[in-house]
Amino acid sequence: MEQSEIPENMIFCQCCAMPLDESGEFNGTEADGSKNEEYCVYCYKDGAFTAPDATMEEMIEFCVPHMVSANENITEDAAREMMQKYFPELKRWKK
């Protein structure tokens, strides 16, 4: 997916870049059960990261097959390259 194809108001998980929609269905949860607005349910549950020791590179490698299966027109190498550019901008990985 090209950057220009992404809706301007789209919100992404600040760990894995998964799109989060307005329903909140895929939003992570805080310790009190409330929805977290920044992270998805796969990365953040009960107020903590599900893989607290993961590196950005490990997260990219974990996400590549998911991105390829969700986007039939993208190769593993292209997905990896896109993530290597985008992930450093995400809150969890920003230096």
Side-chain angles (χ1 to χ4, degrees), residues 3-95:
Q3 192 72 22
S4 59
E5 295 175 31
I6 299 170
E8 210 173 290
N9 60 346
M10 180 70 74
I11 298 170
F12 296 92
C13 173
Q14 293 297 299
C15 178
C16 74
M18 183 175 100
L20 300 173
D21 64 19
E22 292 177 11
S23 74
E25 179 182 355
F26 295 106
N27 287 65
T29 56
E30 297 295 350
D32 64 4
S34 63
K35 295 285 184 187
N36 178 283
E37 300 295 320
E38 295 181 313
Y39 299 104
C40 77
V41 66
Y42 304 112
C43 292
Y44 196 80
K45 186 175 181 180
D46 299 328
F49 287 111
T50 57
D53 299 324
T55 65
M56 184 177 72
E57 290 74 22
E58 289 168 337
M59 183 61 69
I60 289 171
E61 289 308 312
F62 177 80
C63 292
V64 165
H66 298 288
M67 188 170 187
V68 170
S69 69
N71 301 280
E72 61 187 38
N73 298 326
I74 193 167
T75 65
E76 284 191 10
D77 287 340
R80 187 175 292 107
E81 187 177 326
M82 285 173 56
M83 288 186 228
Q84 287 169 339
K85 289 178 181 172
Y86 188 65
F87 274 41
E89 300 301 315
L90 298 174
K91 185 175 180 177
R92 180 166 182 193
W93 312 114
K94 212 171 221 180
K95 302 256 186 248

